[in-house]
Coordinates of all heavy atoms in Angstrom, one line a residue:
M1306 N -16.3 21.5 3.3 CA -15.0 21.3 2.6 C -15.1 20.3 1.5 O -15.7 19.2 1.8 CB -13.9 20.9 3.6 CG -12.6 20.8 3.0 SD -11.3 20.5 4.3 CE -10.0 19.8 3.3
V1307 N -14.6 20.6 0.4 CA -14.7 19.6 -0.7 C -13.5 18.6 -0.7 O -12.4 19.0 -0.6 CB -14.7 20.4 -2.1 CG1 -14.7 19.4 -3.2 CG2 -15.9 21.3 -2.2
D1308 N -13.9 17.4 -0.8 CA -12.8 16.4 -0.8 C -12.3 16.3 -2.3 O -13.0 16.0 -3.2 CB -13.4 15.0 -0.5 CG -12.4 13.9 -0.4 OD1 -11.3 14.1 -0.9 OD2 -12.7 12.8 0.1
P1309 N -11.0 16.6 -2.4 CA -10.4 16.7 -3.8 C -10.4 15.3 -4.5 O -10.4 15.2 -5.7 CB -9.0 17.2 -3.6 CG -8.7 16.9 -2.2 CD -10.0 17.0 -1.4
A1310 N -10.5 14.3 -3.7 CA -10.4 12.9 -4.3 C -11.8 12.4 -4.6 O -11.9 11.4 -5.3 CB -9.7 12.0 -3.4
A1311 N -12.9 13.0 -4.1 CA -14.2 12.5 -4.3 C -14.7 12.5 -5.7 O -15.4 11.6 -6.1 CB -15.2 13.2 -3.4
A1312 N -14.3 13.5 -6.5 CA -14.9 13.7 -7.8 C -14.5 12.6 -8.8 O -15.4 12.0 -9.4 CB -14.4 15.1 -8.3
D1313 N -13.2 12.3 -8.9 CA -12.8 11.4 -9.9 C -11.9 10.3 -9.3 O -11.0 9.8 -10.0 CB -12.2 12.1 -11.1 CG -11.1 13.1 -10.6 OD1 -10.9 13.2 -9.4 OD2 -10.5 13.7 -11.5
G1314 N -12.1 9.9 -8.1 CA -11.4 8.8 -7.5 C -10.0 9.2 -7.1 O -9.6 10.4 -7.2
P1315 N -9.2 8.3 -6.6 CA -7.9 8.5 -6.1 C -6.9 8.9 -7.3 O -7.1 8.5 -8.4 CB -7.4 7.2 -5.5 CG -8.3 6.2 -6.1 CD -9.6 6.9 -6.4
R1316 N -5.9 9.7 -7.0 CA -5.0 10.1 -8.0 C -3.6 10.0 -7.4 O -3.4 10.2 -6.2 CB -5.2 11.5 -8.5 CG -6.4 11.7 -9.4 CD -6.9 13.1 -9.4 NE -5.8 14.0 -9.7 CZ -6.0 15.4 -9.7 NH1 -7.2 15.9 -9.4 NH2 -5.0 16.1 -10.0
P1317 N -2.6 9.7 -8.3 CA -1.2 9.5 -7.7 C -0.5 10.9 -7.4 O 0.5 10.9 -6.9 CB -0.5 8.8 -8.8 CG -1.2 9.1 -10.1 CD -2.7 9.3 -9.7
D1318 N -1.1 12.0 -7.8 CA -0.4 13.3 -7.7 C -1.0 14.1 -6.5 O -0.5 15.1 -6.2 CB -0.4 14.0 -9.0 CG -1.8 14.3 -9.5 OD1 -2.8 13.6 -9.1 OD2 -2.0 15.1 -10.4
V1319 N -2.1 13.7 -6.0 CA -2.7 14.4 -4.9 C -3.2 13.5 -3.8 O -3.7 12.4 -4.1 CB -4.0 15.2 -5.3 CG1 -4.6 16.0 -4.2 CG2 -3.6 16.2 -6.5
C1320 N -2.8 13.8 -2.5 CA -3.2 12.9 -1.4 C -4.7 12.9 -1.3 O -5.4 13.9 -1.3 CB -2.6 13.5 -0.1 SG -3.2 12.6 1.3
S1321 N -5.3 11.6 -1.2 CA -6.7 11.5 -1.1 C -7.3 11.8 0.2 O -8.5 11.9 0.4 CB -7.1 10.0 -1.5 OG -6.5 9.1 -0.6
T1322 N -6.4 12.0 1.2 CA -6.9 12.3 2.5 C -6.8 13.8 2.8 O -7.8 14.4 3.2 CB -6.0 11.6 3.6 OG1 -6.2 10.2 3.5 CG2 -6.5 12.0 5.0
C1323 N -5.7 14.5 2.5 CA -5.5 15.9 2.9 C -5.4 16.8 1.7 O -5.4 18.0 1.8 CB -4.3 16.1 3.8 SG -2.7 15.9 3.0
G1324 N -5.3 16.2 0.5 CA -5.2 17.0 -0.7 C -3.8 17.6 -1.0 O -3.7 18.3 -2.0
S1325 N -2.9 17.3 -0.2 CA -1.5 17.8 -0.5 C -0.9 17.2 -1.7 O -1.2 16.0 -2.0 CB -0.6 17.4 0.8 OG 0.7 17.7 0.5
A1326 N -0.1 18.0 -2.4 CA 0.6 17.4 -3.6 C 2.0 17.0 -3.3 O 2.8 16.6 -4.2 CB 0.6 18.5 -4.7
E1327 N 2.4 17.2 -2.0 CA 3.8 16.8 -1.6 C 3.8 15.3 -1.3 O 3.6 14.9 -0.1 CB 4.2 17.6 -0.4 CG 4.5 19.0 -0.7 CD 5.0 19.8 0.5 OE1 5.9 19.3 1.2 OE2 4.4 20.8 0.8
L1328 N 4.0 14.5 -2.3 CA 3.9 13.1 -2.1 C 5.2 12.4 -2.6 O 5.9 12.9 -3.5 CB 2.7 12.5 -2.9 CG 1.4 13.1 -2.7 CD1 0.4 12.5 -3.7 CD2 0.9 12.9 -1.3
T1329 N 5.5 11.3 -2.0 CA 6.5 10.4 -2.6 C 5.8 9.3 -3.4 O 4.9 8.7 -2.9 CB 7.3 9.7 -1.4 OG1 8.0 10.8 -0.7 CG2 8.3 8.8 -2.0
R1330 N 6.2 9.2 -4.6 CA 5.6 8.2 -5.5 C 6.7 7.2 -5.9 O 7.8 7.5 -6.3 CB 5.0 8.8 -6.7 CG 3.7 9.5 -6.5 CD 3.2 10.1 -7.8 NE 4.2 11.2 -8.2 CZ 4.1 12.5 -7.8 NH1 3.2 12.8 -7.0 NH2 4.9 13.3 -8.2
L1331 N 6.3 5.9 -5.7 CA 7.2 4.8 -6.0 C 6.5 3.8 -6.8 O 5.7 3.0 -6.3 CB 7.7 4.3 -4.7 CG 8.9 3.3 -4.8 CD1 10.1 3.9 -5.3 CD2 9.2 2.7 -3.4
P1332 N 6.9 3.7 -8.1 CA 6.2 2.6 -9.0 C 6.8 1.3 -8.5 O 8.0 1.1 -8.3 CB 6.7 3.0 -10.4 CG 7.3 4.3 -10.3 CD 7.8 4.5 -8.9
M1333 N 5.9 0.3 -8.4 CA 6.3 -1.0 -8.0 C 5.5 -2.0 -8.9 O 4.5 -1.7 -9.4 CB 5.9 -1.3 -6.6 CG 6.6 -0.4 -5.6 SD 5.8 -0.5 -3.9 CE 6.0 -2.2 -3.6
V1334 N 6.1 -3.2 -9.0 CA 5.4 -4.3 -9.6 C 5.2 -5.4 -8.5 O 6.2 -5.9 -8.0 CB 6.1 -4.9 -10.8 CG1 5.3 -6.0 -11.5 CG2 6.3 -3.8 -11.8
L1335 N 4.0 -5.8 -8.3 CA 3.8 -6.9 -7.3 C 4.2 -8.2 -7.8 O 4.3 -8.4 -9.0 CB 2.3 -6.9 -6.8 CG 1.9 -5.5 -6.2 CD1 0.4 -5.6 -5.7 CD2 2.8 -5.0 -5.1
T1336 N 4.3 -9.2 -7.0 CA 4.7 -10.5 -7.4 C 3.8 -11.1 -8.4 O 4.3 -11.9 -9.3 CB 4.7 -11.5 -6.1 OG1 5.5 -10.9 -5.1 CG2 5.3 -12.8 -6.5
D1337 N 2.5 -10.8 -8.4 CA 1.6 -11.4 -9.4 C 1.6 -10.6 -10.7 O 0.8 -10.8 -11.6 CB 0.2 -11.5 -8.8 CG -0.5 -10.2 -8.7 OD1 0.2 -9.1 -8.8 OD2 -1.7 -10.2 -8.5
G1338 N 2.5 -9.5 -10.8 CA 2.6 -8.8 -12.0 C 1.7 -7.5 -12.1 O 1.8 -6.8 -13.1
T1339 N 1.0 -7.2 -11.0 CA 0.2 -6.0 -10.9 C 1.1 -4.8 -10.8 O 2.0 -4.7 -9.9 CB -0.7 -6.0 -9.7 OG1 -1.5 -7.2 -9.8 CG2 -1.7 -4.8 -9.8
D1340 N 0.9 -3.8 -11.7 CA 1.6 -2.5 -11.6 C 0.9 -1.6 -10.6 O -0.3 -1.4 -10.7 CB 1.6 -1.8 -13.0 CG 2.7 -2.3 -13.9 OD1 3.9 -2.4 -13.4 OD2 2.4 -2.7 -15.0
V1341 N 1.7 -1.2 -9.6 CA 1.1 -0.3 -8.6 C 2.0 0.9 -8.4 O 3.2 0.9 -8.8 CB 0.9 -1.0 -7.3 CG1 -0.1 -2.1 -7.4 CG2 2.2 -1.5 -6.7
T1342 N 1.4 2.0 -7.9 CA 2.2 3.1 -7.5 C 2.0 3.3 -6.0 O 0.9 3.5 -5.5 CB 1.8 4.4 -8.2 OG1 2.0 4.2 -9.6 CG2 2.6 5.6 -7.8
F1343 N 3.1 3.2 -5.2 CA 3.0 3.4 -3.8 C 3.1 4.9 -3.6 O 4.0 5.6 -4.1 CB 4.2 2.7 -3.1 CG 4.3 3.0 -1.7 CD1 3.3 2.6 -0.8 CD2 5.4 3.8 -1.2 CE1 3.5 3.0 0.6 CE2 5.5 4.1 0.1 CZ 4.5 3.7 1.0
V1344 N 2.1 5.5 -2.8 CA 2.1 6.9 -2.6 C 2.2 7.2 -1.1 O 1.4 6.6 -0.3 CB 0.8 7.5 -3.2 CG1 0.7 9.0 -2.8 CG2 0.7 7.3 -4.7
S1345 N 3.1 8.0 -0.7 CA 3.2 8.4 0.7 C 3.2 9.9 0.8 O 3.9 10.6 0.2 CB 4.6 7.8 1.2 OG 4.8 8.3 2.5
C1346 N 2.2 10.3 1.7 CA 2.0 11.8 1.8 C 2.9 12.4 2.9 O 3.1 11.8 4.0 CB 0.6 12.0 2.2 SG 0.2 13.8 2.5
H1347 N 3.6 13.5 2.5 CA 4.5 14.1 3.5 C 3.8 14.8 4.6 O 4.3 15.0 5.7 CB 5.4 15.1 2.7 CG 6.3 14.5 1.7 ND1 7.4 15.1 1.3 CD2 6.3 13.3 1.2 CE1 8.1 14.4 0.4 NE2 7.4 13.2 0.3
R1348 N 2.5 15.3 4.3 CA 1.8 16.1 5.3 C 1.1 15.2 6.3 O 1.2 15.4 7.5 CB 0.8 17.0 4.6 CG 0.3 18.1 5.5 CD -0.9 18.7 4.9 NE -0.6 19.7 3.9 CZ -1.6 20.3 3.1 NH1 -2.8 20.0 3.4 NH2 -1.2 21.1 2.2
C1349 N 0.3 14.3 5.9 CA -0.5 13.5 6.8 C 0.0 12.1 7.0 O -0.6 11.3 7.7 CB -2.0 13.5 6.4 SG -2.4 12.5 5.0
E1350 N 1.0 11.7 6.2 CA 1.7 10.4 6.3 C 0.7 9.3 5.9 O 0.9 8.1 6.3 CB 2.2 10.2 7.8 CG 3.3 11.2 8.1 CD 4.0 10.8 9.4 OE1 3.5 10.0 10.1 OE2 5.1 11.4 9.7
R1351 N -0.3 9.6 5.1 CA -1.1 8.5 4.6 C -0.3 7.7 3.5 O 0.5 8.3 2.8 CB -2.3 9.1 3.9 CG -3.2 8.0 3.2 CD -4.4 8.6 2.5 NE -5.0 7.7 1.7 CZ -5.9 6.8 2.1 NH1 -6.2 6.8 3.4 NH2 -6.5 5.9 1.4
R1352 N -0.5 6.4 3.6 CA 0.2 5.6 2.6 C -0.9 4.8 1.8 O -1.8 4.3 2.4 CB 1.1 4.6 3.3 CG 2.3 5.3 3.9 CD 3.2 4.4 4.7 NE 4.3 5.2 5.3 CZ 5.3 4.6 5.8 NH1 5.4 3.3 5.9 NH2 6.3 5.3 6.3
E1353 N -0.6 4.8 0.5 CA -1.6 4.2 -0.3 C -1.0 3.5 -1.5 O 0.0 4.0 -2.0 CB -2.6 5.3 -0.8 CG -3.9 4.8 -1.4 CD -4.9 6.0 -1.5 OE1 -4.4 7.1 -1.8 OE2 -6.1 5.7 -1.3
W1354 N -1.6 2.5 -2.0 CA -1.2 1.8 -3.2 C -2.3 2.0 -4.3 O -3.4 1.7 -4.0 CB -1.0 0.3 -3.0 CG 0.3 0.0 -2.3 CD1 1.5 -0.3 -2.8 CD2 0.5 0.0 -0.9 NE1 2.4 -0.6 -1.9 CE2 1.9 -0.4 -0.6 CE3 -0.3 0.2 0.2 CZ2 2.4 -0.5 0.6 CZ3 0.2 0.1 1.5 CH2 1.6 -0.3 1.7
L1355 N -1.9 2.6 -5.4 CA -2.8 2.9 -6.5 C -2.5 2.0 -7.6 O -1.3 1.7 -8.0 CB -2.7 4.3 -6.9 CG -3.1 5.4 -5.8 CD1 -2.9 6.7 -6.3 CD2 -4.5 5.2 -5.3
T1356 N -3.5 1.5 -8.3 CA -3.3 0.7 -9.5 C -4.2 1.3 -10.6 O -5.3 1.8 -10.4 CB -3.7 -0.8 -9.3 OG1 -3.4 -1.5 -10.5 CG2 -5.1 -0.9 -8.8
L1357 N -3.7 1.3 -11.8 CA -4.4 1.9 -12.9 C -5.3 0.9 -13.6 O -4.9 -0.1 -14.0 CB -3.3 2.4 -14.0 CG -3.8 3.4 -15.0 CD1 -4.4 4.6 -14.4 CD2 -2.6 3.8 -15.9
G1358 N -6.6 1.2 -13.5 CA -7.6 0.3 -14.1 C -7.6 0.3 -15.6 O -7.0 1.1 -16.2
A1359 N -8.3 -0.7 -16.1 CA -8.4 -0.8 -17.6 C -9.0 0.4 -18.3 O -8.7 0.7 -19.4 CB -9.2 -2.1 -17.9
D1360 N -9.8 1.1 -17.5 CA -10.5 2.3 -18.1 C -9.7 3.6 -17.9 O -10.1 4.7 -18.2 CB -11.9 2.5 -17.6 CG -11.9 2.7 -16.1 OD1 -10.8 2.6 -15.5 OD2 -12.9 3.0 -15.5
G1361 N -8.5 3.4 -17.4 CA -7.6 4.6 -17.2 C -7.8 5.4 -16.0 O -7.2 6.4 -15.7
S1362 N -8.7 4.9 -15.1 CA -8.9 5.6 -13.8 C -8.1 4.8 -12.7 O -7.9 3.6 -12.8 CB -10.3 5.7 -13.4 OG -10.8 4.4 -13.2
W1363 N -7.6 5.6 -11.7 CA -6.9 5.0 -10.6 C -7.8 4.4 -9.6 O -8.8 4.9 -9.3 CB -6.0 6.1 -10.0 CG -4.9 6.5 -10.9 CD1 -4.9 7.5 -11.8 CD2 -3.6 5.9 -11.0 NE1 -3.7 7.6 -12.5 CE2 -2.9 6.7 -12.0 CE3 -2.9 4.9 -10.4 CZ2 -1.6 6.4 -12.4 CZ3 -1.6 4.6 -10.8 CH2 -0.9 5.3 -11.7
E1364 N -7.3 3.3 -9.1 CA -8.0 2.6 -8.0 C -7.1 2.5 -6.8 O -5.9 2.2 -6.9 CB -8.5 1.2 -8.4 CG -9.7 1.3 -9.4 CD -10.0 -0.2 -9.9 OE1 -9.8 -1.1 -9.1 OE2 -10.4 -0.3 -11.0
S1365 N -7.7 2.7 -5.6 CA -6.9 2.5 -4.4 C -6.9 1.0 -4.0 O -8.0 0.3 -4.0 CB -7.5 3.3 -3.3 OG -6.8 3.1 -2.1
L1366 N -5.7 0.5 -3.7 CA -5.6 -1.0 -3.4 C -5.4 -1.1 -1.9 O -4.5 -0.6 -1.4 CB -4.4 -1.5 -4.2 CG -4.4 -2.9 -4.7 CD1 -5.6 -3.2 -5.6 CD2 -3.1 -3.2 -5.4
P1367 N -6.3 -1.9 -1.3 CA -6.2 -2.0 0.2 C -4.9 -2.8 0.5 O -4.4 -3.6 -0.3 CB -7.4 -2.9 0.6 CG -8.2 -3.2 -0.6 CD -7.5 -2.6 -1.8
I1368 N -4.3 -2.5 1.7 CA -3.1 -3.2 2.1 C -3.2 -4.7 2.0 O -2.3 -5.4 1.7 CB -2.7 -2.7 3.5 CG1 -1.4 -3.3 4.0 CG2 -3.8 -2.9 4.5 CD1 -0.1 -2.9 3.2
E1369 N -4.4 -5.2 2.4 CA -4.5 -6.7 2.3 C -4.3 -7.2 0.9 O -3.7 -8.3 0.7 CB -6.0 -7.0 2.8 CG -6.2 -6.7 4.3 CD -6.7 -5.3 4.5 OE1 -7.0 -4.6 3.4 OE2 -6.6 -4.8 5.6
A1370 N -4.8 -6.5 -0.1 CA -4.7 -6.9 -1.4 C -3.2 -6.8 -1.9 O -2.8 -7.7 -2.6 CB -5.6 -6.0 -2.4
V1371 N -2.5 -5.8 -1.4 CA -1.1 -5.7 -1.8 C -0.3 -6.9 -1.2 O 0.5 -7.5 -1.9 CB -0.5 -4.4 -1.2 CG1 1.0 -4.3 -1.5 CG2 -1.2 -3.2 -1.9
I1372 N -0.6 -7.2 0.1 CA 0.1 -8.3 0.7 C -0.2 -9.6 0.0 O 0.7 -10.4 -0.3 CB -0.3 -8.4 2.2 CG1 0.3 -7.2 2.9 CG2 0.2 -9.7 2.8 CD1 -0.2 -7.0 4.3
Q1373 N -1.5 -9.8 -0.3 CA -1.9 -11.0 -1.0 C -1.2 -11.1 -2.4 O -0.7 -12.2 -2.7 CB -3.4 -10.9 -1.2 CG -4.2 -12.1 -0.8 CD -5.7 -11.9 -0.8 OE1 -6.2 -11.2 -1.7 NE2 -6.4 -12.5 0.1
R1374 N -1.2 -10.1 -3.1 CA -0.6 -10.1 -4.5 C 0.9 -10.2 -4.4 O 1.6 -10.5 -5.4 CB -1.0 -8.9 -5.3 CG -2.5 -9.0 -5.6 CD -3.0 -7.6 -6.1 NE -4.4 -7.6 -6.3 CZ -4.9 -7.4 -7.5 NH1 -4.2 -7.1 -8.6 NH2 -6.3 -7.4 -7.7
S1375 N 1.5 -9.9 -3.3 CA 3.0 -9.9 -3.1 C 3.5 -11.3 -2.7 O 4.6 -11.6 -2.8 CB 3.4 -8.8 -2.2 OG 3.1 -7.5 -2.6
A1376 N 2.5 -12.0 -2.1 CA 2.9 -13.3 -1.5 C 3.1 -14.4 -2.6 O 2.4 -14.3 -3.6 CB 1.9 -13.8 -0.5
R1377 N 4.0 -15.2 -2.4 CA 4.1 -16.4 -3.3 C 3.1 -17.4 -2.9 O 2.9 -17.8 -1.8 CB 5.5 -17.0 -3.1 CG 6.6 -16.1 -3.7 CD 7.9 -16.7 -3.2 NE 9.0 -15.7 -3.5 CZ 9.7 -15.7 -4.6 NH1 9.5 -16.6 -5.5 NH2 10.6 -14.8 -4.8
K1378 N 2.4 -17.8 -3.9 CA 1.3 -18.8 -3.6 C 1.9 -20.2 -3.4 O 2.6 -20.7 -4.2 CB 0.3 -18.8 -4.8 CG -0.5 -17.6 -4.9 CD -1.7 -17.8 -5.8 CE -2.6 -16.6 -5.9 NZ -2.0 -15.5 -6.7
P1379 N 1.5 -20.8 -2.3 CA 2.0 -22.2 -2.0 C 1.3 -23.1 -3.0 O 0.1 -23.0 -3.3 CB 1.5 -22.4 -0.6 CG 0.4 -21.5 -0.3 CD 0.7 -20.3 -1.2
R1380 N 2.0 -24.1 -3.4 CA 1.5 -25.1 -4.3 C 1.2 -26.4 -3.5 O 1.9 -26.7 -2.6 CB 2.5 -25.4 -5.4 CG 2.4 -24.4 -6.4 CD 3.4 -24.7 -7.6 NE 3.3 -23.8 -8.7 CZ 2.4 -24.0 -9.7 NH1 1.7 -25.1 -9.7 NH2 2.3 -23.1 -10.7
Ligands
LIG2623 ZN1 -2.1 13.7 3.0

């Protein structure tokens, strides 16, 4: 079975786990200013945060990175 996400990385319109196109997409801006798209799959319930890289390709952001970038940095 071919992984639909393997060829050109994660995409906001297709689930990177099951390949379903039935996704909820929610654009968000993290506290540090990073633009991300929260993707939730209706079929397998995978949740993912994608960010658009400088070269125009999507990157998957680990939950730890999302939490880190959402937190206010203590001074
Ligand atoms: Zn899925």
Side-chain angles (χ1 to χ4, degrees):
M1306 184 176 160
V1307 177
D1308 183 348
D1313 49 0
R1316 286 160 51 185
D1318 55 344
V1319 180
C1320 175
S1321 61
T1322 297
C1323 72
S1325 170
E1327 289 181 51
L1328 308 174
T1329 297
R1330 283 179 295 273
L1331 189 64
M1333 298 167 56
V1334 181
L1335 303 183
T1336 305
D1337 75 344
T1339 306
D1340 277 308
V1341 297
T1342 301
F1343 172 69
V1344 178
S1345 173
C1346 178
H1347 293 198
R1348 193 196 283 174
C1349 71
E1350 298 190 345
R1351 177 182 170 80
R1352 292 175 179 192
E1353 195 166 35
W1354 283 265
L1355 299 177
T1356 181
L1357 197 55
D1360 61 353
S1362 68
W1363 291 90
E1364 289 174 30
S1365 181
L1366 213 56
I1368 179 70
E1369 295 83 15
V1371 174
I1372 292 170
Q1373 230 170 34
R1374 288 165 186 244
S1375 301
R1377 290 167 192 269
K1378 290 198 177 75
R1380 281 182 173 269

